[in-house]
Amino acid sequence: MTLTQVWGMSIILVVSPIIGAIPLIDWFTYAVSGKDLKKLGTGNISVSAAFYHGGKLAGILAVLSEAGKGIAVVLLTRLFFPLGSTWEIVAIIALVLGRFFWGKGAGATNVTWGIVTHNPLASLLIALLGGVNFTIWREKQSGRVGVLVLMVVILSALKIHDSIYVLSTIVLASILIWIYQNIGDDLQLSSNQVNGESAKVFRFFRGDNGILSLNDVLNPRQVGAKASNLSLLSLWGYDVPQGWVIKAGDDVFKLCDFLQPSLSNPLVVRSSALDEDSLTASAAGIYDSFLNVTDKNSLQQAIIACLSSYDSSIALNYRQGNQEKAQGMAVIVQQQIQGLYSGVVFSRDPVNQLEDCVCIEALAGLATQVVSGEVTPEAYRVYFPDETLQGEGNTPREVLIEVAKMAREIENLCQGQPQDIEWTYDGEKIWLLQTRPITNLQPLWTRKIASEVIPGVICPLTWSINQPLTCGVWGDIFTIVLGKKAQNLDFGKTATLHYHRAYFNATLLGEIFKRMGLPPESLEFLTRGAKFTKPPLSTTLINLFGLWRLLNHEWKLHNRFNYDLDRHFNPLLDELTEIDPHSLSYQDLLRRIDDILTTLKKATYYSIFAPLSYSLRQKILKVLPEELDYRNIPEIASINDLKKIAIDARKLLSKDELASIDLTNYAAFFAYLTETNEGESILQNLEKCLDKYGYLSEVATDISVPRWRENSKQMKIIFTKFVGDNFTESSITKLEKKKDKWKVNTVQKRLELKGKVSTIYSQFLAHLRYSFLALDKKLLTENRLNQENDIFFLKLAEIKDYIIQKNQELNIVNIVKERKLEWEESKKITTIPYLIYGKPPHIDLTYQYTPTLTNSCLQGIGASAGIVEGKIKILKTLTDTENIDSDTILVVPHTDSGWSTILAQAGGIIAEVGGKLSHGAIIAREYGIPAVMDINHATDILQNGQLVRLNGVKGTVEIINEELKMQN
């Protein structure tokens, strides 16, 4: 390659994107019409937008300018490379990328004229064949893809032996397809807004692939959510009145001729705006609807009036109030059902969430009476699973029960989003007229996963630190995958507190999953525990660039962690360990806290990404949890180290000494150890173990919860038990035998990394706690706080404001007092909802939640194999840990690494939250304890002393009737 060509490559790769980025269309449109395309419609600066918003002259100038760009980059290439070279295609690719990322347009005109200049004969053939296809079908998206496929085939056929050239054409076509799927289209806006010569161009490019039916699979971005939802209901097998959809630019007269309405065949005309029936705005009653349309002329007028209502003053004010841009209008025309009974059903009570019922309003006649609010309807409530009906009226019971069942079914099909459904009954069938989300029950908050990540009743200081850290890091990870698709997503709202408990925003996460191209079941995975399914291949290809970025971060995760471990984590941990926080001043303590928080942000990234990486590798490579070695995971390593010390203790103590000691009384045992020389050696080993694992706690992520270092009672209890159980070295080393496969090793590396990250993360949180305790003690000594641990009821910003700014107006004593009362009230709520719709319902402390037990078998997630029978012991905190043995089946609300010493004593484990990768599951598998996770409200459903049979494979807990068992 010559030096000239090297310079040419550089110039092409730099100049072509710059040419693409120059917004000539925007300039011409503004000069002609005074309109700024960036602030209109979709915000795209495209040829179609110029025609649409600027008129014919602006459109022609736009075509000429974009054609000139395509021609220019090809001619530029010929200054350095031979005619028709691969670099001409590369220059067009660079032009398109510049056009999309900086010029806010797709670049179709650029490519068209670039290819014409590149190879005129091939372009002519592409145009002829593509034109035939487009003229026949005139469906825009299919036409685009077809032309691009033809371009690749025809150009590649001319240079079939040049693999780089062929690859370049494929890349060009793929980029254009990807751009078309990620950019809005001004031609989808309402057709009644297009006038004059622009309308002709509009209607041609919009195309008309026949008349859309509600039996088709419809795209809500093209026909609105109302029409799309009706098509889904029809697809799911529900009875939906036959109907058709008129999109922007469709031929109204053609549809009217086709339908032929009459007195015997009345029709209804309804709006389906693109901003209607969304998760956040229903637009109910904003746009016009028309009933009893019985002739062709009336149908035409009704359609036009419905379209025109999109621009009414009411509609404009509504969109302005909701800060929404105009997106356009489609119209639904349906056969009108003559209902005997009709109404509206809410799959959840929109007023009282604690009432787990379906609400129905019904009347004799058409549903419009109920929706309009002009007539007081009959009100009913249906409770499941026993189908209890409350309410009186004339509507048949069997109709109401069936409607209620449909409502819950449709809610499940809509990934748990509560639904507002219009229905009518004609004496034979129940017809569904509409379904949409109940907007006042948004967003949907879920305790699932959140209750495992940060369980318990959370203090203000903990949340003021954890929420921005966790939400910020998750936002960073999602942005890696989504790129520009992450715009307008507020990751700060990923999590919140209700009743001082953490909840995740399932609605926001559902939108994130949707933009990532993940299947709808992804939201159900969070809200209802559904299996997480693989996305389709087409979705994976669309998000290829984002997934590649994520894969790149995952691949470098281990090296990046080791770098941060050496440069940031270990140096700061050494410093924190050496300096007693109680010896520091206020300013030094705040600097210490800031240093920890700065480093903790890096550690949080790894604490989220390492388990995610481990889980993905395990799922993809299909490695069973039983094939992995968990010895270096903190929850397992801590127990094994205690066992080794217990074995050494038995060697140091004589048989007579062991026989004389009450090993069921840990206090007496440790008192004996302090009086002997052998005991001193054992205590020193235990102290070293406590130094190593002192950062562990009941809830590692909550800095208000004490660490092992502060309360070693549980450690002493389990150690005493281990001495009495007479463990041997072989009972520990047999756990080391693991299969040696490359897949297992690949996953094992991530498991090891997960353990290291967990250790570092928990250590920083422990030091953060110790630092705040030092602040707490100083404020307490100076009588600025009343009681120990009061500092955990202040927020981080308030603490800094009070100390640094010396804000004396901030009465921290009163703030703590009020928040303590609120926190204590929240602690009294023994059972809270796992799902919250919109605003959290007020829970009266006298309210007693009674979970419905429809049969004697509970279904969860099997986490550790084995079948065991035993009696239940409910353990909500680590305060009551006496009398736990191999006949005890522990029921716990959650598990953390600090629970390891307790769980290892049990014969079986049941947890309200968690899965196969949770702390409790890992402990159970390592010690052969059957375990079932994710049984909601298990601590409320089950009772102390109850006999159950636990199946760790099937994930079931069967309640056994002891009397029947004795009879058998």
Side-chain angles (χ1 to χ4, degrees):
M1 184 176 291
T2 66
L3 184 61
T4 301
Q5 290 179 328
V6 173
W7 274 105
M9 291 166 53
S10 302
I11 292 172
I12 290 166
L13 293 176
V14 172
V15 173
S16 295
I18 293 175
I19 293 174
I22 299 173
L24 293 177
I25 294 176
D26 195 23
W27 295 346
F28 287 137
T29 304
Y30 187 82
V32 171
S33 63
K35 294 181 179 179
D36 186 353
L37 292 181
K38 294 190 295 293
K39 299 179 180 179
L40 296 172
T42 62
N44 297 334
I45 302 174
S46 62
V47 171
S48 58
F51 271 109
Y52 181 87
H53 296 290
K56 184 176 181 180
L57 178 58
I60 292 172
L61 292 173
V63 171
L64 293 175
S65 65
E66 295 309 297
K69 288 182 180 181
I71 296 169
V73 296
V74 173
L75 296 180
L76 174 66
T77 305
R78 292 179 183 175
L79 296 175
F80 308 99
F81 294 94
L83 181 72
S85 71
T86 303
W87 277 98
E88 293 182 7
I89 301 296
V90 173
I92 296 173
I93 292 173
L95 173 70
V96 169
L97 292 175
R99 180 85 173 84
F100 176 67
F101 287 109
W102 294 285
K104 294 185 177 180
T109 307
N110 305 135
V111 174
T112 299
W113 287 96
I115 295 299
V116 168
T117 310
H118 170 69
N119 192 324
L121 291 177
S123 301
L124 180 61
L125 184 58
I126 294 168
L128 288 173
L129 296 177
V132 171
N133 172 69
F134 193 75
T135 301
I136 294 173
W137 299 106
R138 291 187 61 195
E139 207 288 317
K140 190 171 184 181
Q141 193 64 23
S142 300
R144 284 169 165 172
V145 174
V147 170
L148 290 172
V149 171
L150 283 171
M151 179 189 76
V152 172
V153 171
I154 293 172
L155 290 177
S156 299
L158 297 175
K159 292 190 176 184
I160 192 62
H161 299 296
D162 189 343
S163 58
I164 302 298
Y165 182 89
V166 173
L167 179 61
S168 298
T169 61
I170 294 172
V171 169
L172 175 59
S174 301
I175 289 173
L176 282 172
I177 292 173
W178 177 76
I179 288 174
Y180 286 140
Q181 292 174 332
N182 286 274
I183 196 168
D185 193 342
D186 290 272
L187 296 183
Q188 295 297 344
L189 294 170
S190 181
S191 61
N192 67 303
Q193 297 175 334
V194 186
N195 299 299
E197 293 293 325
S198 302
K200 299 177 182 178
V201 178
F202 176 88
R203 284 193 292 268
F204 177 78
F205 279 101
R206 218 288 302 149
D208 187 0
N209 188 16
I211 298 171
L212 288 178
S213 166
L214 292 179
N215 295 325
D216 299 326
V217 178
L218 302 178
N219 186 339
R221 289 178 294 180
Q222 296 178 347
V223 299
K226 185 182 293 183
S228 176
N229 290 342
L230 286 172
S231 74
L232 280 176
L233 290 175
S234 179
L235 180 66
W236 292 334
Y238 294 98
D239 290 311
V240 175
Q242 189 174 6
W244 303 266
V245 182
I246 300 174
K247 294 192 294 182
D250 282 341
D251 191 338
V252 174
F253 301 100
K254 180 179 178 181
L255 179 64
C256 294
D257 289 337
F258 170 72
L259 294 180
Q260 292 294 327
S262 63
L263 290 172
S264 60
N265 180 34
L267 301 176
V268 57
V269 176
R270 310 172 70 196
S271 65
S272 183
L274 273 62
D275 49 20
E276 189 175 1
D277 287 357
S278 67
L279 288 175
T280 56
S282 67
I286 299 299
Y287 307 118
D288 290 342
S289 296
F290 299 89
L291 302 175
N292 295 310
V293 179
T294 57
D295 61 80
K296 187 165 65 173
N297 185 54
S298 297
L299 179 58
Q300 292 173 6
Q301 292 178 359
I303 294 172
I304 293 170
C306 189
L307 284 168
S308 299
S309 67
Y310 190 75
D311 298 317
S312 68
S313 58
I314 296 175
L316 292 172
N317 290 334
Y318 180 82
R319 289 197 295 272
Q320 186 176 6
N322 284 282
Q323 297 181 336
E324 293 183 356
K325 294 194 301 183
Q327 299 180 50
M329 168 83 85
V331 173
I332 303 169
V333 180
Q334 282 181 284
Q335 289 184 343
Q336 184 165 308
I337 304 298
Q338 298 301 321
L340 299 179
Y341 298 95
S342 306
V344 178
V345 56
F346 295 89
S347 63
R348 300 281 163 178
D349 189 331
V351 179
N352 185 3
Q353 294 184 26
L354 296 178
E355 288 290 329
D356 186 15
C357 65
V358 176
C359 298
I360 304 174
E361 293 183 347
L363 273 177
L366 300 178
T368 50
Q369 298 178 91
V370 179
V371 177
S372 66
E374 296 176 358
V375 181
T376 302
E378 302 165 356
Y380 301 93
R381 303 167 79 83
V382 179
Y383 295 84
F384 291 108
D386 54 358
E387 299 182 3
T388 301
L389 176 65
Q390 291 183 358
E392 295 182 359
N394 298 319
T395 310
R397 183 183 190 279
E398 60 271 17
V399 172
L400 295 169
I401 297 297
E402 187 62 27
V403 166
K405 287 179 179 179
M406 287 182 176
R408 283 293 170 88
E409 288 172 0
I410 294 168
E411 179 187 278
N412 288 333
L413 289 167
C414 294
Q415 294 79 56
Q417 298 289 352
Q419 296 293 300
D420 166 4
I421 303 167
E422 288 184 30
W423 59 274
T424 189
Y425 174 65
D426 65 357
E428 295 182 3
K429 292 180 180 180
I430 296 173
W431 297 88
L432 301 185
L433 309 178
Q434 178 175 307
T435 186
R436 61 188 177 196
I438 304 176
T439 52
N440 76 303
L441 296 185
Q442 300 295 330
L444 175 58
W445 299 98
T446 174
R447 277 282 285 159
K448 189 172 181 65
I449 299 180
S451 55
E452 185 179 359
V453 173
I454 180 166
V457 187
I458 303 168
C459 291
L461 180 57
T462 296
W463 190 246
S464 70
I465 291 170
N466 284 33
Q467 197 267 351
L469 271 177
T470 304
C471 294
V473 172
W474 269 117
D476 293 341
I477 293 173
F478 286 135
T479 302
I480 289 171
V481 180
L482 292 172
K484 284 192 172 182
K485 292 181 183 178
Q487 292 178 350
N488 303 322
L489 291 176
D490 187 353
F491 295 112
K493 296 181 179 178
T494 303
T496 193
L497 287 185
H498 294 310
Y499 320 109
H500 287 86
R501 276 90 166 178
Y503 282 81
F504 281 161
N505 188 336
T507 302
L508 175 62
L509 292 171
E511 177 62 25
I512 292 170
F513 292 158
K514 181 180 177 182
R515 296 190 188 189
M516 289 172 68
L518 294 175
E521 292 81 3
S522 305
L523 180 55
E524 270 197 272
F525 166 75
L526 287 176
T527 58
R528 300 177 183 274
K531 185 177 179 181
F532 197 94
T533 56
K534 294 180 180 179
L537 180 60
S538 59
T539 294
T540 304
L541 292 175
I542 291 171
N543 293 277
L544 193 59
F545 294 122
L547 293 174
W548 173 256
R549 290 192 295 269
L550 184 68
L551 180 62
N552 185 47
H553 279 254
E554 195 277 340
W555 185 257
K556 296 178 180 178
L557 191 64
H558 191 273
N559 291 337
R560 287 181 175 179
F561 175 76
N562 285 336
Y563 175 84
D564 284 331
L565 186 66
D566 294 335
R567 293 290 298 271
H568 302 286
F569 300 154
N570 281 337
L572 182 57
L573 285 172
D574 291 340
E575 180 185 333
L576 295 172
T577 304
E578 290 174 4
I579 302 174
D580 182 4
H582 293 280
S583 67
L584 300 176
S585 66
Y586 281 118
Q587 299 299 327
D588 289 337
L589 277 171
L590 289 179
R591 276 194 292 270
R592 178 188 176 101
I593 289 168
D594 283 340
D595 289 342
I596 295 173
L597 290 176
T598 300
T599 310
L600 193 59
K601 184 175 182 180
K602 291 179 180 291
T604 303
Y605 168 81
Y606 294 109
S607 74
I608 291 175
F609 215 134
L612 178 64
S613 169
Y614 162 61
S615 179
L616 288 173
R617 288 194 176 197
Q618 188 202 23
K619 293 291 184 183
I620 293 171
L621 297 178
K622 297 181 179 179
V623 173
L624 298 175
E626 295 79 11
E627 298 181 86
L628 299 169
D629 184 352
Y630 295 91
R631 287 174 303 155
N632 294 326
I633 302 300
E635 50 263 49
I636 302 301
S638 60
I639 297 176
N640 284 344
D641 281 3
L642 281 176
K643 283 185 176 182
K644 290 175 182 178
I645 299 173
I647 293 169
D648 292 338
R650 294 191 67 87
K651 293 176 182 178
L652 290 172
L653 299 173
S654 67
K655 290 184 179 180
D656 292 338
E657 285 179 301
L658 288 171
S660 65
I661 300 171
D662 182 7
L663 294 177
T664 62
N665 186 336
Y666 85 93
F669 176 57
F670 272 82
Y672 177 83
L673 291 178
T674 59
E675 298 173 356
T676 64
N677 293 330
E678 293 84 357
E680 184 178 350
S681 174
I682 295 169
L683 291 173
Q684 288 176 353
N685 289 334
L686 283 173
E687 185 63 25
K688 291 178 182 178
C689 186
L690 194 59
D691 286 339
K692 187 175 181 180
Y693 301 107
Y695 62 86
L696 293 176
S697 79
E698 181 179 341
V699 184
T701 50
D702 190 346
I703 61 172
S704 69
V705 177
R707 268 47 186 170
W708 277 14
R709 165 53 67 187
E710 301 165 73
N711 184 1
S712 58
K713 176 184 174 180
Q714 299 305 328
M715 188 176 179
K716 291 177 179 179
I717 291 174
I718 189 65
F719 174 73
T720 306
K721 185 176 186 299
F722 284 164
V723 173
D725 286 344
N726 195 18
F727 281 104
T728 62
E729 290 284 350
S730 60
S731 68
I732 299 175
T733 55
K734 69 180 182 180
L735 297 173
E736 300 177 13
K737 297 178 181 179
K738 301 291 179 182
K739 295 180 182 179
D740 186 18
K741 299 178 181 178
W742 73 267
K743 288 184 178 180
V744 174
N745 290 336
T746 301
V747 178
Q748 183 69 43
K749 289 178 181 178
R750 279 299 181 262
L751 178 61
E752 299 284 345
L753 178 63
K754 177 176 175 285
K756 292 178 183 178
V757 168
S758 176
T759 299
I760 293 295
Y761 184 67
S762 297
Q763 286 176 341
F764 276 125
L765 287 172
H767 282 294
L768 191 62
R769 171 178 166 79
Y770 303 150
S771 301
F772 279 114
L773 285 176
L775 272 178
D776 183 74
K777 187 173 183 179
K778 292 179 84 67
L779 292 169
L780 190 64
T781 303
E782 297 174 7
N783 295 319
R784 293 201 256 177
L785 288 176
N786 290 337
Q787 293 181 338
E788 291 184 357
N789 297 320
D790 274 0
I791 198 167
F792 294 110
F793 293 92
L794 297 171
K795 297 176 182 178
L796 178 60
E798 292 169 343
I799 295 171
K800 288 185 174 182
D801 188 29
Y802 184 77
I803 294 175
I804 298 175
Q805 303 298 330
K806 295 182 170 42
N807 186 352
Q808 301 304 316
E809 294 182 4
L810 193 67
N811 191 329
I812 60 174
V813 172
N814 286 344
I815 291 174
V816 167
K817 184 179 179 180
E818 291 176 7
R819 289 179 182 166
K820 261 189 174 180
L821 288 173
E822 294 173 359
W823 188 74
E824 291 293 342
E825 289 295 297
S826 292
K827 281 184 68 177
K828 293 177 185 177
I829 304 174
T830 57
T831 306
I832 62 170
Y834 266 76
L835 291 175
I836 290 178
Y837 304 92
K839 295 180 180 179
H842 173 71
I843 298 179
D844 191 333
L845 294 179
T846 61
Y847 170 79
Q848 293 295 320
Y849 174 81
T850 305
T852 303
L853 185 62
T854 55
N855 54 51
S856 60
C857 189
L858 305 174
Q859 182 65 55
I861 297 173
S864 181
I867 299 174
V868 64
E869 288 186 11
K871 291 193 175 181
I872 290 294
K873 182 176 180 62
I874 296 172
L875 196 66
K876 292 192 175 183
T877 67
L878 293 183
T879 55
D880 180 20
T881 57
E882 304 293 333
N883 304 318
I884 298 174
D885 54 33
S886 58
D887 294 325
T888 303
I889 294 183
L890 281 180
V891 182
V892 296
H894 57 84
T895 59
D896 206 329
S897 50
W899 287 71
S900 56
T901 55
I902 306 304
L903 300 180
Q905 303 176 60
I909 300 170
I910 300 170
E912 291 188 326
V913 298
K916 293 183 179 181
L917 305 181
S918 62
H919 298 285
I922 291 171
I923 294 167
R925 283 195 298 271
E926 198 70 9
Y927 295 103
I929 304 170
V932 175
M933 305 285 146
D934 199 42
I935 294 187
N936 294 351
H937 302 299
T939 57
D940 298 298
I941 296 172
L942 300 171
Q943 301 173 11
N944 279 318
Q946 203 168 28
L947 184 65
V948 300
R949 181 182 295 111
L950 185 154
N951 189 320
V953 176
K954 294 181 179 179
T956 58
V957 177
E958 183 181 356
I959 300 173
I960 300 172
N961 188 314
E962 292 190 74
E963 294 182 2
L964 290 176
K965 185 177 180 181
M966 291 176 65
Q967 292 175 8
N968 293 334

